[in-house]
Amino acid sequence: MQQYRDENLMLVAAVERYAQKHRIPTASSFDIFRKYGINTLIRKHYNALHTQPLDESYYFAEDIINRTELASSTKSNLNGK
């Protein structure tokens, strides 16, 4: 039960930090996290992330989003779109 609460805290901190950094509403940030599966990934990698400073969950999310967008744009460029 405590781990579930900690996972939620980590997720909320990442969502709020992302919203703040990108100057978007928190709800939009949460939608982006859902789009890229960040919620699931933070929970999946909780055991590693909880040993890091709380901001690390934000950096983890930002990295996943950036890599996914880069891969998507590279794929589109290779397909001539």
Side-chain angles (χ1 to χ4, degrees):
M1 185 62 138
Q2 182 62 39
Q3 180 175 329
Y4 184 73
R5 283 187 226 158
D6 290 347
E7 290 171 1
N8 286 339
L9 172 65
M10 191 177 292
L11 182 56
V12 167
V15 167
E16 289 181 346
R17 178 78 168 101
Y18 189 88
Q20 180 185 36
K21 179 149 184 343
H22 293 277
R23 296 185 175 140
I24 60 174
T26 304
S28 297
S29 178
F30 187 74
D31 290 341
I32 291 168
F33 274 47
R34 283 196 339 214
K35 175 182 175 182
Y36 290 100
I38 303 299
N39 303 353
T40 303
L41 288 171
I42 285 178
R43 291 184 190 285
K44 181 178 178 181
H45 296 287
Y46 169 79
N47 286 332
L49 289 170
H50 90 280
T51 64
Q52 305 298 314
L54 196 53
D55 266 358
E56 189 61 33
S57 60
Y58 157 73
Y59 294 120
F60 175 77
E62 185 81 58
D63 185 54
I64 297 297
I65 292 166
N66 289 339
R67 287 173 186 245
T68 303
E69 287 179 350
L70 178 62
S72 180
S73 68
T74 301
K75 186 177 178 181
S76 292
N77 289 339
L78 291 175
N79 291 331
K81 295 179 180 175

PDB file of all heavy atoms in Angstrom, residues 21-59:
ATOM      1  N   LYS A  21       7.291  23.139 -16.563  1.00  0.00           N
ATOM      2  CA  LYS A  21       8.393  23.382 -17.491  1.00  0.00           C
ATOM      3  C   LYS A  21       7.896  23.780 -18.878  1.00  0.00           C
ATOM      4  O   LYS A  21       8.490  24.633 -19.535  1.00  0.00           O
ATOM      5  CB  LYS A  21       9.273  22.144 -17.613  1.00  0.00           C
ATOM      6  CG  LYS A  21      10.423  22.317 -18.593  1.00  0.00           C
ATOM      7  CD  LYS A  21      11.599  21.529 -18.198  1.00  0.00           C
ATOM      8  CE  LYS A  21      12.831  21.693 -19.034  1.00  0.00           C
ATOM      9  NZ  LYS A  21      12.787  22.271 -20.312  1.00  0.00           N
ATOM     10  N   HIS A  22       6.813  23.170 -19.307  1.00  0.00           N
ATOM     11  CA  HIS A  22       6.301  23.432 -20.651  1.00  0.00           C
ATOM     12  C   HIS A  22       5.173  24.471 -20.673  1.00  0.00           C
ATOM     13  O   HIS A  22       4.602  24.733 -21.733  1.00  0.00           O
ATOM     14  CB  HIS A  22       5.841  22.119 -21.295  1.00  0.00           C
ATOM     15  CG  HIS A  22       6.992  21.196 -21.549  1.00  0.00           C
ATOM     16  ND1 HIS A  22       7.788  21.293 -22.667  1.00  0.00           N
ATOM     17  CD2 HIS A  22       7.500  20.179 -20.811  1.00  0.00           C
ATOM     18  CE1 HIS A  22       8.736  20.365 -22.606  1.00  0.00           C
ATOM     19  NE2 HIS A  22       8.578  19.678 -21.487  1.00  0.00           N
ATOM     20  N   ARG A  23       4.888  25.017 -19.484  1.00  0.00           N
ATOM     21  CA  ARG A  23       3.864  26.066 -19.346  1.00  0.00           C
ATOM     22  C   ARG A  23       2.534  25.646 -19.963  1.00  0.00           C
ATOM     23  O   ARG A  23       1.950  26.353 -20.797  1.00  0.00           O
ATOM     24  CB  ARG A  23       4.357  27.375 -19.940  1.00  0.00           C
ATOM     25  CG  ARG A  23       5.550  27.912 -19.201  1.00  0.00           C
ATOM     26  CD  ARG A  23       5.961  29.259 -19.701  1.00  0.00           C
ATOM     27  NE  ARG A  23       7.032  29.758 -18.865  1.00  0.00           N
ATOM     28  CZ  ARG A  23       8.080  30.396 -19.310  1.00  0.00           C
ATOM     29  NH1 ARG A  23       8.193  30.654 -20.592  1.00  0.00           N
ATOM     30  NH2 ARG A  23       9.006  30.809 -18.489  1.00  0.00           N
ATOM     31  N   ILE A  24       2.090  24.463 -19.541  1.00  0.00           N
ATOM     32  CA  ILE A  24       0.801  23.934 -19.988  1.00  0.00           C
ATOM     33  C   ILE A  24      -0.011  23.559 -18.749  1.00  0.00           C
ATOM     34  O   ILE A  24       0.560  23.388 -17.663  1.00  0.00           O
ATOM     35  CB  ILE A  24       0.968  22.705 -20.910  1.00  0.00           C
ATOM     36  CG1 ILE A  24       1.710  21.566 -20.194  1.00  0.00           C
ATOM     37  CG2 ILE A  24       1.682  23.086 -22.207  1.00  0.00           C
ATOM     38  CD1 ILE A  24       1.803  20.271 -20.978  1.00  0.00           C
ATOM     39  N   PRO A  25      -1.323  23.431 -18.895  1.00  0.00           N
ATOM     40  CA  PRO A  25      -2.125  23.001 -17.748  1.00  0.00           C
ATOM     41  C   PRO A  25      -1.746  21.586 -17.303  1.00  0.00           C
ATOM     42  O   PRO A  25      -1.328  20.753 -18.122  1.00  0.00           O
ATOM     43  CB  PRO A  25      -3.561  23.023 -18.290  1.00  0.00           C
ATOM     44  CG  PRO A  25      -3.526  23.889 -19.495  1.00  0.00           C
ATOM     45  CD  PRO A  25      -2.149  23.757 -20.067  1.00  0.00           C
ATOM     46  N   THR A  26      -1.895  21.327 -16.034  1.00  0.00           N
ATOM     47  CA  THR A  26      -1.566  20.015 -15.488  1.00  0.00           C
ATOM     48  C   THR A  26      -2.373  18.918 -16.173  1.00  0.00           C
ATOM     49  O   THR A  26      -1.847  17.836 -16.444  1.00  0.00           O
ATOM     50  CB  THR A  26      -1.803  19.993 -13.966  1.00  0.00           C
ATOM     51  OG1 THR A  26      -1.039  21.051 -13.382  1.00  0.00           O
ATOM     52  CG2 THR A  26      -1.370  18.686 -13.351  1.00  0.00           C
ATOM     53  N   ALA A  27      -3.631  19.187 -16.479  1.00  0.00           N
ATOM     54  CA  ALA A  27      -4.467  18.192 -17.164  1.00  0.00           C
ATOM     55  C   ALA A  27      -3.879  17.835 -18.536  1.00  0.00           C
ATOM     56  O   ALA A  27      -3.889  16.667 -18.933  1.00  0.00           O
ATOM     57  CB  ALA A  27      -5.888  18.705 -17.313  1.00  0.00           C
ATOM     58  N   SER A  28      -3.343  18.820 -19.233  1.00  0.00           N
ATOM     59  CA  SER A  28      -2.710  18.553 -20.533  1.00  0.00           C
ATOM     60  C   SER A  28      -1.451  17.716 -20.360  1.00  0.00           C
ATOM     61  O   SER A  28      -1.173  16.810 -21.159  1.00  0.00           O
ATOM     62  CB  SER A  28      -2.358  19.861 -21.237  1.00  0.00           C
ATOM     63  OG  SER A  28      -3.521  20.600 -21.509  1.00  0.00           O
ATOM     64  N   SER A  29      -0.706  18.029 -19.326  1.00  0.00           N
ATOM     65  CA  SER A  29       0.490  17.250 -19.019  1.00  0.00           C
ATOM     66  C   SER A  29       0.121  15.790 -18.747  1.00  0.00           C
ATOM     67  O   SER A  29       0.759  14.866 -19.265  1.00  0.00           O
ATOM     68  CB  SER A  29       1.206  17.855 -17.803  1.00  0.00           C
ATOM     69  OG  SER A  29       2.333  17.110 -17.448  1.00  0.00           O
ATOM     70  N   PHE A  30      -0.928  15.587 -17.968  1.00  0.00           N
ATOM     71  CA  PHE A  30      -1.373  14.232 -17.663  1.00  0.00           C
ATOM     72  C   PHE A  30      -1.807  13.506 -18.936  1.00  0.00           C
ATOM     73  O   PHE A  30      -1.491  12.322 -19.119  1.00  0.00           O
ATOM     74  CB  PHE A  30      -2.511  14.254 -16.645  1.00  0.00           C
ATOM     75  CG  PHE A  30      -2.908  12.898 -16.167  1.00  0.00           C
ATOM     76  CD1 PHE A  30      -2.098  12.201 -15.283  1.00  0.00           C
ATOM     77  CD2 PHE A  30      -4.069  12.305 -16.620  1.00  0.00           C
ATOM     78  CE1 PHE A  30      -2.451  10.932 -14.853  1.00  0.00           C
ATOM     79  CE2 PHE A  30      -4.433  11.045 -16.192  1.00  0.00           C
ATOM     80  CZ  PHE A  30      -3.620  10.352 -15.304  1.00  0.00           C
ATOM     81  N   ASP A  31      -2.481  14.206 -19.835  1.00  0.00           N
ATOM     82  CA  ASP A  31      -2.885  13.598 -21.110  1.00  0.00           C
ATOM     83  C   ASP A  31      -1.677  13.164 -21.932  1.00  0.00           C
ATOM     84  O   ASP A  31      -1.682  12.098 -22.556  1.00  0.00           O
ATOM     85  CB  ASP A  31      -3.745  14.568 -21.923  1.00  0.00           C
ATOM     86  CG  ASP A  31      -5.116  14.791 -21.323  1.00  0.00           C
ATOM     87  OD1 ASP A  31      -5.563  13.945 -20.501  1.00  0.00           O
ATOM     88  OD2 ASP A  31      -5.752  15.808 -21.672  1.00  0.00           O
ATOM     89  N   ILE A  32      -0.644  13.984 -21.936  1.00  0.00           N
ATOM     90  CA  ILE A  32       0.593  13.635 -22.645  1.00  0.00           C
ATOM     91  C   ILE A  32       1.219  12.393 -22.015  1.00  0.00           C
ATOM     92  O   ILE A  32       1.669  11.487 -22.726  1.00  0.00           O
ATOM     93  CB  ILE A  32       1.578  14.825 -22.639  1.00  0.00           C
ATOM     94  CG1 ILE A  32       1.024  15.956 -23.516  1.00  0.00           C
ATOM     95  CG2 ILE A  32       2.967  14.398 -23.100  1.00  0.00           C
ATOM     96  CD1 ILE A  32       1.742  17.281 -23.359  1.00  0.00           C
ATOM     97  N   PHE A  33       1.230  12.337 -20.696  1.00  0.00           N
ATOM     98  CA  PHE A  33       1.794  11.176 -20.014  1.00  0.00           C
ATOM     99  C   PHE A  33       1.018   9.912 -20.390  1.00  0.00           C
ATOM    100  O   PHE A  33       1.614   8.856 -20.615  1.00  0.00           O
ATOM    101  CB  PHE A  33       1.778  11.382 -18.497  1.00  0.00           C
ATOM    102  CG  PHE A  33       2.976  12.106 -17.968  1.00  0.00           C
ATOM    103  CD1 PHE A  33       3.455  13.264 -18.564  1.00  0.00           C
ATOM    104  CD2 PHE A  33       3.629  11.644 -16.844  1.00  0.00           C
ATOM    105  CE1 PHE A  33       4.557  13.939 -18.069  1.00  0.00           C
ATOM    106  CE2 PHE A  33       4.739  12.301 -16.339  1.00  0.00           C
ATOM    107  CZ  PHE A  33       5.202  13.450 -16.954  1.00  0.00           C
ATOM    108  N   ARG A  34      -0.294  10.017 -20.463  1.00  0.00           N
ATOM    109  CA  ARG A  34      -1.106   8.854 -20.852  1.00  0.00           C
ATOM    110  C   ARG A  34      -0.835   8.470 -22.297  1.00  0.00           C
ATOM    111  O   ARG A  34      -0.728   7.289 -22.623  1.00  0.00           O
ATOM    112  CB  ARG A  34      -2.587   9.144 -20.650  1.00  0.00           C
ATOM    113  CG  ARG A  34      -2.990   9.057 -19.207  1.00  0.00           C
ATOM    114  CD  ARG A  34      -4.474   8.947 -18.989  1.00  0.00           C
ATOM    115  NE  ARG A  34      -5.265   9.406 -20.111  1.00  0.00           N
ATOM    116  CZ  ARG A  34      -6.429  10.007 -20.021  1.00  0.00           C
ATOM    117  NH1 ARG A  34      -6.953  10.242 -18.841  1.00  0.00           N
ATOM    118  NH2 ARG A  34      -7.086  10.381 -21.083  1.00  0.00           N
ATOM    119  N   LYS A  35      -0.713   9.451 -23.173  1.00  0.00           N
ATOM    120  CA  LYS A  35      -0.457   9.193 -24.595  1.00  0.00           C
ATOM    121  C   LYS A  35       0.822   8.376 -24.795  1.00  0.00           C
ATOM    122  O   LYS A  35       0.866   7.474 -25.633  1.00  0.00           O
ATOM    123  CB  LYS A  35      -0.349  10.527 -25.349  1.00  0.00           C
ATOM    124  CG  LYS A  35       0.026  10.385 -26.808  1.00  0.00           C
ATOM    125  CD  LYS A  35       0.159  11.740 -27.465  1.00  0.00           C
ATOM    126  CE  LYS A  35       0.652  11.599 -28.894  1.00  0.00           C
ATOM    127  NZ  LYS A  35       0.842  12.913 -29.529  1.00  0.00           N
ATOM    128  N   TYR A  36       1.850   8.696 -24.029  1.00  0.00           N
ATOM    129  CA  TYR A  36       3.142   8.031 -24.175  1.00  0.00           C
ATOM    130  C   TYR A  36       3.347   6.877 -23.189  1.00  0.00           C
ATOM    131  O   TYR A  36       4.428   6.284 -23.151  1.00  0.00           O
ATOM    132  CB  TYR A  36       4.279   9.049 -24.039  1.00  0.00           C
ATOM    133  CG  TYR A  36       4.335   9.988 -25.212  1.00  0.00           C
ATOM    134  CD1 TYR A  36       3.791  11.262 -25.132  1.00  0.00           C
ATOM    135  CD2 TYR A  36       4.909   9.597 -26.413  1.00  0.00           C
ATOM    136  CE1 TYR A  36       3.824  12.127 -26.207  1.00  0.00           C
ATOM    137  CE2 TYR A  36       4.954  10.451 -27.498  1.00  0.00           C
ATOM    138  CZ  TYR A  36       4.404  11.713 -27.389  1.00  0.00           C
ATOM    139  OH  TYR A  36       4.440  12.567 -28.471  1.00  0.00           O
ATOM    140  N   GLY A  37       2.342   6.578 -22.392  1.00  0.00           N
ATOM    141  CA  GLY A  37       2.446   5.460 -21.452  1.00  0.00           C
ATOM    142  C   GLY A  37       3.372   5.722 -20.281  1.00  0.00           C
ATOM    143  O   GLY A  37       3.868   4.786 -19.649  1.00  0.00           O
ATOM    144  N   ILE A  38       3.602   6.987 -19.974  1.00  0.00           N
ATOM    145  CA  ILE A  38       4.520   7.352 -18.901  1.00  0.00           C
ATOM    146  C   ILE A  38       4.004   6.867 -17.545  1.00  0.00           C
ATOM    147  O   ILE A  38       4.785   6.411 -16.702  1.00  0.00           O
ATOM    148  CB  ILE A  38       4.770   8.878 -18.860  1.00  0.00           C
ATOM    149  CG1 ILE A  38       5.304   9.381 -20.207  1.00  0.00           C
ATOM    150  CG2 ILE A  38       5.697   9.258 -17.719  1.00  0.00           C
ATOM    151  CD1 ILE A  38       6.611   8.786 -20.644  1.00  0.00           C
ATOM    152  N   ASN A  39       2.707   6.948 -17.334  1.00  0.00           N
ATOM    153  CA  ASN A  39       2.131   6.509 -16.058  1.00  0.00           C
ATOM    154  C   ASN A  39       2.539   5.066 -15.761  1.00  0.00           C
ATOM    155  O   ASN A  39       2.999   4.748 -14.661  1.00  0.00           O
ATOM    156  CB  ASN A  39       0.605   6.618 -16.088  1.00  0.00           C
ATOM    157  CG  ASN A  39       0.127   8.014 -16.403  1.00  0.00           C
ATOM    158  OD1 ASN A  39       0.899   8.950 -16.480  1.00  0.00           O
ATOM    159  ND2 ASN A  39      -1.162   8.148 -16.590  1.00  0.00           N
ATOM    160  N   THR A  40       2.370   4.209 -16.743  1.00  0.00           N
ATOM    161  CA  THR A  40       2.717   2.797 -16.590  1.00  0.00           C
ATOM    162  C   THR A  40       4.224   2.620 -16.411  1.00  0.00           C
ATOM    163  O   THR A  40       4.667   1.821 -15.577  1.00  0.00           O
ATOM    164  CB  THR A  40       2.234   2.003 -17.816  1.00  0.00           C
ATOM    165  OG1 THR A  40       0.826   2.202 -17.961  1.00  0.00           O
ATOM    166  CG2 THR A  40       2.533   0.525 -17.677  1.00  0.00           C
ATOM    167  N   LEU A  41       5.003   3.358 -17.172  1.00  0.00           N
ATOM    168  CA  LEU A  41       6.460   3.218 -17.092  1.00  0.00           C
ATOM    169  C   LEU A  41       7.009   3.655 -15.738  1.00  0.00           C
ATOM    170  O   LEU A  41       7.928   3.026 -15.208  1.00  0.00           O
ATOM    171  CB  LEU A  41       7.130   4.012 -18.216  1.00  0.00           C
ATOM    172  CG  LEU A  41       6.971   3.411 -19.608  1.00  0.00           C
ATOM    173  CD1 LEU A  41       7.475   4.377 -20.668  1.00  0.00           C
ATOM    174  CD2 LEU A  41       7.706   2.081 -19.692  1.00  0.00           C
ATOM    175  N   ILE A  42       6.467   4.740 -15.191  1.00  0.00           N
ATOM    176  CA  ILE A  42       6.932   5.185 -13.870  1.00  0.00           C
ATOM    177  C   ILE A  42       6.622   4.117 -12.832  1.00  0.00           C
ATOM    178  O   ILE A  42       7.454   3.799 -11.985  1.00  0.00           O
ATOM    179  CB  ILE A  42       6.330   6.556 -13.503  1.00  0.00           C
ATOM    180  CG1 ILE A  42       7.043   7.654 -14.313  1.00  0.00           C
ATOM    181  CG2 ILE A  42       6.444   6.827 -11.995  1.00  0.00           C
ATOM    182  CD1 ILE A  42       6.521   9.055 -14.091  1.00  0.00           C
ATOM    183  N   ARG A  43       5.440   3.554 -12.910  1.00  0.00           N
ATOM    184  CA  ARG A  43       5.091   2.476 -11.956  1.00  0.00           C
ATOM    185  C   ARG A  43       5.974   1.244 -12.172  1.00  0.00           C
ATOM    186  O   ARG A  43       6.439   0.630 -11.222  1.00  0.00           O
ATOM    187  CB  ARG A  43       3.622   2.113 -12.091  1.00  0.00           C
ATOM    188  CG  ARG A  43       2.703   3.203 -11.600  1.00  0.00           C
ATOM    189  CD  ARG A  43       1.247   2.773 -11.648  1.00  0.00           C
ATOM    190  NE  ARG A  43       0.351   3.887 -11.410  1.00  0.00           N
ATOM    191  CZ  ARG A  43       0.132   4.440 -10.233  1.00  0.00           C
ATOM    192  NH1 ARG A  43       0.758   4.005  -9.168  1.00  0.00           N
ATOM    193  NH2 ARG A  43      -0.698   5.448 -10.103  1.00  0.00           N
ATOM    194  N   LYS A  44       6.220   0.910 -13.429  1.00  0.00           N
ATOM    195  CA  LYS A  44       7.039  -0.267 -13.753  1.00  0.00           C
ATOM    196  C   LYS A  44       8.477  -0.120 -13.249  1.00  0.00           C
ATOM    197  O   LYS A  44       9.086  -1.078 -12.787  1.00  0.00           O
ATOM    198  CB  LYS A  44       7.039  -0.488 -15.265  1.00  0.00           C
ATOM    199  CG  LYS A  44       7.828  -1.681 -15.721  1.00  0.00           C
ATOM    200  CD  LYS A  44       7.734  -1.855 -17.223  1.00  0.00           C
ATOM    201  CE  LYS A  44       8.574  -3.023 -17.680  1.00  0.00           C
ATOM    202  NZ  LYS A  44       8.510  -3.192 -19.136  1.00  0.00           N
ATOM    203  N   HIS A  45       9.002   1.097 -13.338  1.00  0.00           N
ATOM    204  CA  HIS A  45      10.402   1.346 -12.963  1.00  0.00           C
ATOM    205  C   HIS A  45      10.525   2.014 -11.593  1.00  0.00           C
ATOM    206  O   HIS A  45      11.562   2.601 -11.276  1.00  0.00           O
ATOM    207  CB  HIS A  45      11.083   2.187 -14.043  1.00  0.00           C
ATOM    208  CG  HIS A  45      11.173   1.469 -15.350  1.00  0.00           C
ATOM    209  ND1 HIS A  45      12.045   0.433 -15.576  1.00  0.00           N
ATOM    210  CD2 HIS A  45      10.448   1.610 -16.484  1.00  0.00           C
ATOM    211  CE1 HIS A  45      11.881  -0.012 -16.806  1.00  0.00           C
ATOM    212  NE2 HIS A  45      10.917   0.672 -17.376  1.00  0.00           N
ATOM    213  N   TYR A  46       9.493   1.893 -10.801  1.00  0.00           N
ATOM    214  CA  TYR A  46       9.482   2.508  -9.470  1.00  0.00           C
ATOM    215  C   TYR A  46      10.691   2.098  -8.634  1.00  0.00           C
ATOM    216  O   TYR A  46      11.317   2.937  -7.992  1.00  0.00           O
ATOM    217  CB  TYR A  46       8.187   2.156  -8.721  1.00  0.00           C
ATOM    218  CG  TYR A  46       8.248   2.544  -7.269  1.00  0.00           C
ATOM    219  CD1 TYR A  46       8.053   3.866  -6.891  1.00  0.00           C
ATOM    220  CD2 TYR A  46       8.532   1.605  -6.285  1.00  0.00           C
ATOM    221  CE1 TYR A  46       8.145   4.241  -5.563  1.00  0.00           C
ATOM    222  CE2 TYR A  46       8.617   1.975  -4.954  1.00  0.00           C
ATOM    223  CZ  TYR A  46       8.428   3.288  -4.599  1.00  0.00           C
ATOM    224  OH  TYR A  46       8.520   3.656  -3.293  1.00  0.00           O
ATOM    225  N   ASN A  47      11.034   0.813  -8.634  1.00  0.00           N
ATOM    226  CA  ASN A  47      12.124   0.344  -7.775  1.00  0.00           C
ATOM    227  C   ASN A  47      13.445   1.059  -8.065  1.00  0.00           C
ATOM    228  O   ASN A  47      14.223   1.315  -7.151  1.00  0.00           O
ATOM    229  CB  ASN A  47      12.290  -1.167  -7.888  1.00  0.00           C
ATOM    230  CG  ASN A  47      11.187  -1.910  -7.173  1.00  0.00           C
ATOM    231  OD1 ASN A  47      10.611  -1.413  -6.202  1.00  0.00           O
ATOM    232  ND2 ASN A  47      10.855  -3.087  -7.659  1.00  0.00           N
ATOM    233  N   ALA A  48      13.684   1.392  -9.311  1.00  0.00           N
ATOM    234  CA  ALA A  48      14.895   2.145  -9.650  1.00  0.00           C
ATOM    235  C   ALA A  48      14.705   3.639  -9.396  1.00  0.00           C
ATOM    236  O   ALA A  48      15.593   4.301  -8.845  1.00  0.00           O
ATOM    237  CB  ALA A  48      15.268   1.907 -11.105  1.00  0.00           C
ATOM    238  N   LEU A  49      13.551   4.170  -9.788  1.00  0.00           N
ATOM    239  CA  LEU A  49      13.320   5.608  -9.665  1.00  0.00           C
ATOM    240  C   LEU A  49      13.229   6.078  -8.219  1.00  0.00           C
ATOM    241  O   LEU A  49      13.634   7.198  -7.914  1.00  0.00           O
ATOM    242  CB  LEU A  49      12.041   6.008 -10.413  1.00  0.00           C
ATOM    243  CG  LEU A  49      12.125   5.959 -11.935  1.00  0.00           C
ATOM    244  CD1 LEU A  49      10.738   6.128 -12.543  1.00  0.00           C
ATOM    245  CD2 LEU A  49      13.062   7.030 -12.442  1.00  0.00           C
ATOM    246  N   HIS A  50      12.719   5.239  -7.326  1.00  0.00           N
ATOM    247  CA  HIS A  50      12.531   5.720  -5.953  1.00  0.00           C
ATOM    248  C   HIS A  50      13.846   5.908  -5.205  1.00  0.00           C
ATOM    249  O   HIS A  50      13.872   6.530  -4.156  1.00  0.00           O
ATOM    250  CB  HIS A  50      11.583   4.799  -5.160  1.00  0.00           C
ATOM    251  CG  HIS A  50      12.241   3.692  -4.427  1.00  0.00           C
ATOM    252  ND1 HIS A  50      12.637   2.527  -5.059  1.00  0.00           N
ATOM    253  CD2 HIS A  50      12.586   3.566  -3.128  1.00  0.00           C
ATOM    254  CE1 HIS A  50      13.195   1.735  -4.158  1.00  0.00           C
ATOM    255  NE2 HIS A  50      13.182   2.339  -2.985  1.00  0.00           N
ATOM    256  N   THR A  51      14.940   5.419  -5.773  1.00  0.00           N
ATOM    257  CA  THR A  51      16.253   5.621  -5.149  1.00  0.00           C
ATOM    258  C   THR A  51      16.885   6.947  -5.583  1.00  0.00           C
ATOM    259  O   THR A  51      17.934   7.321  -5.092  1.00  0.00           O
ATOM    260  CB  THR A  51      17.221   4.467  -5.492  1.00  0.00           C
ATOM    261  OG1 THR A  51      17.460   4.467  -6.915  1.00  0.00           O
ATOM    262  CG2 THR A  51      16.647   3.125  -5.063  1.00  0.00           C
ATOM    263  N   GLN A  52      16.225   7.632  -6.518  1.00  0.00           N
ATOM    264  CA  GLN A  52      16.736   8.881  -7.075  1.00  0.00           C
ATOM    265  C   GLN A  52      15.954  10.067  -6.503  1.00  0.00           C
ATOM    266  O   GLN A  52      14.884   9.890  -5.937  1.00  0.00           O
ATOM    267  CB  GLN A  52      16.573   8.860  -8.600  1.00  0.00           C
ATOM    268  CG  GLN A  52      17.204   7.670  -9.281  1.00  0.00           C
ATOM    269  CD  GLN A  52      18.696   7.615  -9.081  1.00  0.00           C
ATOM    270  OE1 GLN A  52      19.389   8.619  -9.221  1.00  0.00           O
ATOM    271  NE2 GLN A  52      19.205   6.450  -8.735  1.00  0.00           N
ATOM    272  N   PRO A  53      16.485  11.278  -6.690  1.00  0.00           N
ATOM    273  CA  PRO A  53      15.705  12.463  -6.288  1.00  0.00           C
ATOM    274  C   PRO A  53      14.360  12.475  -7.024  1.00  0.00           C
ATOM    275  O   PRO A  53      14.239  11.941  -8.129  1.00  0.00           O
ATOM    276  CB  PRO A  53      16.581  13.634  -6.736  1.00  0.00           C
ATOM    277  CG  PRO A  53      17.958  13.082  -6.838  1.00  0.00           C
ATOM    278  CD  PRO A  53      17.796  11.642  -7.223  1.00  0.00           C
ATOM    279  N   LEU A  54      13.362  13.084  -6.425  1.00  0.00           N
ATOM    280  CA  LEU A  54      12.008  13.085  -6.974  1.00  0.00           C
ATOM    281  C   LEU A  54      11.955  13.658  -8.388  1.00  0.00           C
ATOM    282  O   LEU A  54      11.175  13.195  -9.221  1.00  0.00           O
ATOM    283  CB  LEU A  54      11.070  13.862  -6.043  1.00  0.00           C
ATOM    284  CG  LEU A  54       9.575  13.670  -6.240  1.00  0.00           C
ATOM    285  CD1 LEU A  54       9.203  12.194  -6.219  1.00  0.00           C
ATOM    286  CD2 LEU A  54       8.807  14.420  -5.163  1.00  0.00           C
ATOM    287  N   ASP A  55      12.791  14.636  -8.695  1.00  0.00           N
ATOM    288  CA  ASP A  55      12.814  15.217 -10.045  1.00  0.00           C
ATOM    289  C   ASP A  55      13.215  14.203 -11.114  1.00  0.00           C
ATOM    290  O   ASP A  55      12.956  14.408 -12.296  1.00  0.00           O
ATOM    291  CB  ASP A  55      13.773  16.406 -10.108  1.00  0.00           C
ATOM    292  CG  ASP A  55      13.079  17.732  -9.871  1.00  0.00           C
ATOM    293  OD1 ASP A  55      11.847  17.733  -9.694  1.00  0.00           O
ATOM    294  OD2 ASP A  55      13.765  18.758  -9.879  1.00  0.00           O
ATOM    295  N   GLU A  56      13.851  13.128 -10.723  1.00  0.00           N
ATOM    296  CA  GLU A  56      14.291  12.125 -11.694  1.00  0.00           C
ATOM    297  C   GLU A  56      13.114  11.522 -12.452  1.00  0.00           C
ATOM    298  O   GLU A  56      13.239  11.174 -13.627  1.00  0.00           O
ATOM    299  CB  GLU A  56      15.107  11.021 -11.019  1.00  0.00           C
ATOM    300  CG  GLU A  56      15.775  10.076 -11.983  1.00  0.00           C
ATOM    301  CD  GLU A  56      16.766  10.747 -12.925  1.00  0.00           C
ATOM    302  OE1 GLU A  56      17.425  11.731 -12.515  1.00  0.00           O
ATOM    303  OE2 GLU A  56      16.882  10.288 -14.082  1.00  0.00           O
ATOM    304  N   SER A  57      11.960  11.421 -11.807  1.00  0.00           N
ATOM    305  CA  SER A  57      10.786  10.884 -12.507  1.00  0.00           C
ATOM    306  C   SER A  57      10.367  11.825 -13.640  1.00  0.00           C
ATOM    307  O   SER A  57       9.927  11.373 -14.702  1.00  0.00           O
ATOM    308  CB  SER A  57       9.627  10.640 -11.540  1.00  0.00           C
ATOM    309  OG  SER A  57       9.231  11.830 -10.899  1.00  0.00           O
ATOM    310  N   TYR A  58      10.529  13.125 -13.449  1.00  0.00           N
ATOM    311  CA  TYR A  58      10.256  14.087 -14.522  1.00  0.00           C
ATOM    312  C   TYR A  58      11.250  13.904 -15.661  1.00  0.00           C
ATOM    313  O   TYR A  58      10.867  13.835 -16.834  1.00  0.00           O
ATOM    314  CB  TYR A  58      10.315  15.533 -14.005  1.00  0.00           C
ATOM    315  CG  TYR A  58      10.601  16.514 -15.111  1.00  0.00           C
ATOM    316  CD1 TYR A  58       9.613  16.824 -16.042  1.00  0.00           C
ATOM    317  CD2 TYR A  58      11.864  17.073 -15.266  1.00  0.00           C
ATOM    318  CE1 TYR A  58       9.885  17.693 -17.087  1.00  0.00           C
ATOM    319  CE2 TYR A  58      12.136  17.932 -16.305  1.00  0.00           C
ATOM    320  CZ  TYR A  58      11.139  18.240 -17.218  1.00  0.00           C
ATOM    321  OH  TYR A  58      11.411  19.083 -18.260  1.00  0.00           O
ATOM    322  N   TYR A  59      12.544  13.813 -15.334  1.00  0.00           N
ATOM    323  CA  TYR A  59      13.560  13.640 -16.371  1.00  0.00           C
ATOM    324  C   TYR A  59      13.360  12.336 -17.132  1.00  0.00           C
ATOM    325  O   TYR A  59      13.557  12.271 -18.351  1.00  0.00           O
ATOM    326  CB  TYR A  59      14.967  13.700 -15.772  1.00  0.00           C
ATOM    327  CG  TYR A  59      15.305  15.057 -15.217  1.00  0.00           C
ATOM    328  CD1 TYR A  59      15.627  15.221 -13.878  1.00  0.00           C
ATOM    329  CD2 TYR A  59      15.294  16.187 -16.025  1.00  0.00           C
ATOM    330  CE1 TYR A  59      15.917  16.471 -13.354  1.00  0.00           C
ATOM    331  CE2 TYR A  59      15.590  17.447 -15.513  1.00  0.00           C
ATOM    332  CZ  TYR A  59      15.905  17.568 -14.176  1.00  0.00           C
ATOM    333  OH  TYR A  59      16.191  18.808 -13.665  1.00  0.00           O
TER     334      TYR A  59
END
